[in-house]
Amino acid sequence: SLRQKKKLTIRWKHYIIVYRCFVNIHADKSGKGDKKIMKFHSFLIKYGEIGIKGKNRYLFEDALVRQMRFALKDVDGSFYVHKSYGRVYVDCDGDYDYEETVESLKRVFGIVGICPVVRLEDRGFEQLKKDVAAYIGEMYPDKNKTFKVEARRSRKSYPKTSMEINCDLGEVILETYPEMKVDVHHPDIRLNVEVREEIYLFSEIIPGPGGMPVGTNGSAMLLLSGGIDSPVAGYMVSKRGVELEATYFHAPPYTSERAKEKVVDLAKLVSKYAGPIKLHVVNFTDIQLYIYEKCPHEELTIIMRRYMMKIAEHFAKKDGCLGMITGESIGQVASQTMQSLAATNAVCTLPVYRPLIGFDKREIVEISEKIDTYETSIQPFEDCCTIFVAKHPVTKPNLERIEKSELNLSEKIDELVQQAIDTVEIIKVK
């Protein structure tokens, strides 16, 4: 049948990979005293919260596979990402960049562990003992370590139980490397041996970012500036499986073209984790000048912020986003006091998510450094929020007074907002 042919094709692919891994383990040393480098041709991907999703788990696994394929598309090499027996694997055909592959997978939300795997054809237990000894010898030049063997026997027809595999392989390791010791509680090395159609060996688990696969929890609109906070906010919400769109408010000639390029660069860095981002670049100059002319200067920041939220929400609703995301943190600046946030929220009908609301600046900077946005964020190109800043902005705005001040804009503001919407520039960032 067609299904049997497909299974046979996949099995032969695996056997080819197994043979290559076996050759790599037993390859002769080359060079003058050069250390052999273990070459892996598969990765076992461990996930966390996905495992408790019950009957819907396959939806989350499929989303994870899609994100992994997206993350690996620009990596040199041929990769086959697939599910098998409740696990997710990446099989690597031929030569590839190991470091680049791992770094790409470490940016995929939903992954909690990346395990470089050696896959071996089952040629009997005696051969497995030799292969395990060779694996330990390759992976750990320093043998002054403790270890534990953890076997899983998914193929119940295998002639040994999991406990027997643990004991017998542990004995081989101790005989081959007498300086090593067993520690079943806190070992330096956990050698995992999984008996399936082939034998899977792995002992290293590289931490992943955790979270949920992007695309499993709807989409939201990020108000993206050129600062430190908003890229981090987008990263954190995306980590919970939310797809991102973004809106940036540009104010030429008061903000330079380089300021816009900086925001595009930030969106590209966030997209390495969040996937493709649709970036809306809004010309906000005329609206800012009009607010500056008609409204009290101490209220400029709050009123401009309210119109930014209105415009961003327009694009969010048009594209089916379920919420708004900002990088605000309580008390960080005048527009981020509790009263100011309440005044800003009042113009929105969509929920506003502020993942950094209780963070201090040091914590935000640490995350921005981890996701490589910090150096770009601190480039000295001002955004529109920093151009028209009052000397003494109101820190406890009264909503009724703000709305009364906005009545001064009624003559022309709707026309300017519509013009900003109609002239928006859309940039697909990926």
Side-chain angles (χ1 to χ4, degrees):
S1 70
L2 183 62
R3 182 177 295 179
Q4 288 174 326
K5 289 180 179 179
K6 186 176 181 181
K7 286 184 176 179
L8 186 61
T9 301
I10 293 173
R11 185 174 298 178
W12 274 110
K13 284 183 179 179
H14 287 173
Y15 284 161
I16 293 170
I17 293 169
V18 166
Y19 172 75
R20 287 173 175 165
C21 291
F22 183 79
V23 170
N24 284 330
I25 287 181
H26 296 284
D28 291 333
K29 289 183 178 179
S30 61
K32 297 181 180 180
D34 290 343
K35 175 183 175 293
K36 287 187 292 182
I37 299 175
M38 178 73 71
K39 290 186 178 180
F40 302 96
H41 287 78
S42 288
F43 295 91
L44 166 63
I45 304 301
K46 291 180 173 288
Y47 50 69
E49 294 177 60
I50 295 175
I52 61 174
K53 292 303 179 182
K55 294 181 180 179
N56 291 326
R57 188 171 78 176
Y58 77 96
L59 297 173
F60 292 86
E61 290 176 336
D62 290 345
L64 179 61
V65 168
R66 286 196 300 271
Q67 289 301 312
M68 290 167 59
R69 288 171 179 164
F70 175 79
L72 294 171
K73 68 180 179 64
D74 295 325
V75 179
D76 290 335
S78 177
F79 303 97
Y80 175 48
V81 184
H82 63 101
K83 301 188 299 182
S84 177
Y85 302 105
R87 296 293 190 91
V88 178
Y89 295 96
V90 180
D91 294 338
C92 315
D93 189 13
D95 294 331
Y96 69 100
D97 189 318
Y98 173 86
E99 296 294 337
E100 187 180 1
T101 301
V102 171
E103 287 303 312
S104 296
L105 292 173
K106 286 168 68 175
R107 293 193 291 264
V108 178
F109 292 131
I111 295 177
V112 299
I114 305 162
C115 308
V117 175
V118 170
R119 306 177 69 143
L120 300 170
E121 182 181 356
D122 182 9
R123 301 194 300 166
F125 193 71
E126 290 302 314
Q127 183 60 48
L128 176 60
K129 291 195 288 188
K130 296 178 183 178
D131 294 339
V132 166
Y135 174 90
I136 294 294
E138 281 284 325
M139 285 290 291
Y140 304 101
D142 178 11
K143 301 300 187 295
N144 291 307
K145 295 181 180 293
T146 59
F147 74 94
K148 178 184 180 181
V149 180
E150 294 183 344
R152 292 182 61 185
R153 189 183 57 140
S154 299
R155 177 157 50 97
K156 300 305 179 185
S157 61
Y158 197 73
K160 288 183 177 289
T161 66
S162 296
M163 186 59 69
E164 289 172 338
I165 295 172
N166 290 339
C167 294
D168 292 348
L169 293 182
E171 181 180 4
V172 168
I173 294 172
L174 289 172
E175 289 177 351
T176 308
Y177 308 108
E179 60 269 46
M180 299 187 74
K181 297 179 181 179
V182 174
D183 183 345
V184 297
H185 299 295
H186 304 289
D188 298 322
I189 302 168
R190 290 182 183 269
L191 176 63
N192 292 270
V193 182
E194 295 194 0
V195 180
R196 297 175 180 267
E197 292 183 2
E198 301 91 26
I199 309 296
Y200 296 59
L201 301 181
F202 63 93
S203 59
E204 182 181 13
I205 302 179
I206 302 166
M212 302 291 290
V214 173
T216 56
N217 277 309
S219 61
M221 179 65 70
L222 170 66
L223 275 76
L224 183 62
S225 70
I228 297 172
D229 303 339
S230 57
V232 174
Y235 162 85
M236 292 185 67
V237 172
S238 181
K239 187 176 180 179
R240 300 308 306 160
V242 178
E243 288 184 306
L244 295 182
E245 293 195 20
T247 301
Y248 164 63
F249 292 92
H250 194 41
Y254 301 99
T255 55
S256 66
E257 190 66 19
R258 187 63 188 88
K260 185 177 80 172
E261 293 174 7
K262 171 185 172 181
V263 172
V264 173
D265 291 341
L266 287 172
K268 288 179 180 178
L269 292 170
V270 175
S271 73
K272 290 182 179 181
Y273 297 89
I277 295 175
K278 181 180 179 181
L279 176 63
H280 304 75
V281 180
V282 178
N283 190 324
F284 202 59
T285 307
D286 291 341
I287 295 174
Q288 280 189 292
L289 290 173
Y290 190 56
I291 293 172
Y292 186 83
E293 177 186 346
K294 296 291 185 177
C295 295
H297 284 195
E298 68 271 13
E299 297 174 356
L300 288 177
T301 303
I302 294 298
I303 293 174
M304 284 191 290
R305 188 71 175 169
R306 281 163 60 88
Y307 276 94
M308 287 179 182
M309 297 295 279
K310 286 182 180 181
I311 294 171
E313 187 178 57
H314 169 84
F315 296 124
K317 288 181 177 179
K318 182 180 177 182
D319 292 346
C321 295
L322 302 176
M324 313 274 285
I325 307 166
T326 74
E328 292 160 317
S329 171
I330 292 176
Q332 187 167 217
V333 293
S335 64
Q336 296 178 21
T337 63
M338 291 289 285
Q339 294 86 347
S340 296
L341 295 176
T344 302
N345 278 3
V347 299
C348 299
T349 57
L350 288 178
V352 181
Y353 300 104
R354 297 180 171 95
L356 308 182
I357 197 68
F359 283 46
D360 62 32
K361 198 67 176 184
R362 177 185 57 80
E363 294 171 315
I364 298 170
V365 167
E366 286 176 356
I367 299 174
S368 71
E369 290 175 336
K370 182 180 77 172
I371 65 175
D372 295 327
T373 59
Y374 179 73
E375 293 299 328
T376 302
S377 293
I378 62 174
Q379 291 177 3
F381 302 106
E382 293 183 317
D383 60 39
C384 67
C385 294
T386 61
I387 301 300
F388 298 97
V389 177
K391 291 184 178 180
H392 304 288
V394 60
T395 57
K396 297 181 180 180
N398 179 279
L399 180 57
E400 291 183 3
R401 183 172 176 179
I402 293 294
E403 291 174 340
K404 185 177 180 180
S405 297
E406 288 178 346
L407 293 176
N408 298 329
L409 305 171
S410 58
E411 179 182 347
K412 192 177 177 182
I413 192 66
D414 290 341
E415 178 186 341
L416 293 176
V417 168
Q418 190 59 49
Q419 181 181 343
I421 290 172
D422 293 341
T423 58
V424 66
E425 178 186 1
I426 305 294
I427 301 175
K428 299 292 183 65
V429 178
K430 56 183 179 178

